[in-house]
C-alpha cells in the first residue's frame, strides 16, 4: 500500500509540474549541438549562483516578469523593451537567511532606447524558504 501511495504522489506531483504554462526553450538541431564544446568547469573561472540565491532569483523573476505574459499588441517600443527578460541585469546579494535581488533595466544598450528615469527596476528580499519578505 505504501508503494502505491508513493506512486500516486509522484504521478500527481509530476502532473502539477507539467500543468504549469512555461515556455520551453527551443533545442538546437543535432548538427549544431555536435559542434559545441563545454568548457572545463572550474570554480575560479565561473560565476556561481548558490542554491538559495538561485531560488530567490527565480521567485523574484516570476513575480516581476510573469512567465508567459507579453506586452499588448499596440505597445510602444519602451513597453515592449521592458517586457523582455534580456533587457534586465540581475544583482544578487546574500543576507542573513535571505537573498536580495535587484533587477535593473538597460534600455539603452539592449533596446537602443533612451532610459526613462521613472523605471529604476525592482528590488526584492527573499527568505531562504521562498517567501517574498519585501519588494520595492
Amino acid at each position: 500500500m505504501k508503494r502505491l501511495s508513493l506512486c500516486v504522489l509522484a504521478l500527481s506531483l509530476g502532473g502539477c509540474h507539467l500543468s504549469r504554462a512555461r515556455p520551453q526553450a527551443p533545442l538546437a538541431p543535432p548538427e549544431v549541438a555536435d559542434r559545441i564544446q563545454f568548457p572545463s568547469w572550474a570554480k575560479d573561472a565561473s560565476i556561481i549562483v548558490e542554491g538559495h540565491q538561485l531560488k530567490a532569483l527565480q521567485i523574484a523573476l516570476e513575480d516581476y516578469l510573469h512567465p508567459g505574459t507579453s506586452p499588448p499588441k499596440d505597445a510602444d517600443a519602451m513597453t515592449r523593451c521592458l517586457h523582455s527578460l534580456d533587457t534586465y541585469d540581475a544583482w544578487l546579494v546574500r543576507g542573513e537567511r535571505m537573498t536580495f535581488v535587484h533587477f535593473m533595466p538597460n534600455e539603452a544598450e539592449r533596446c537602443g532606447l533612451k532610459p526613462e528615469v521613472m523605471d529604476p527596476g525592482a528590488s526584492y528580499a527573499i527568505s531562504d524558504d521562498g517567501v517574498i519578505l519585501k519588494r520595492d
Side-chain angles (χ1 to χ4, degrees), residues 3-84:
R3 188 174 286 176
L4 178 61
S5 298
L6 288 174
C7 287
V8 169
L9 177 64
L11 288 173
S12 66
L13 289 176
C16 290
H17 176 71
L18 294 175
S19 68
R20 287 192 224 172
R22 288 205 171 161
Q24 187 163 352
L27 291 174
E31 58 273 11
V32 172
D34 289 343
R35 293 190 309 259
I36 301 296
Q37 296 275 334
F38 282 107
S40 297
W41 295 107
K43 195 172 187 175
D44 61 336
S46 303
I47 296 172
I48 297 172
V49 179
E50 297 174 353
H52 291 300
Q53 293 171 320
L54 188 59
K55 180 179 180 180
L57 180 60
Q58 180 181 12
I59 290 167
L61 184 59
E62 289 179 357
D63 184 74
Y64 188 59
L65 293 173
H66 304 287
T69 59
S70 50
K73 292 181 192 247
D74 60 345
D76 63 8
M78 182 59 76
T79 301
R80 287 192 309 275
C81 177
L82 294 175
H83 269 80
S84 178

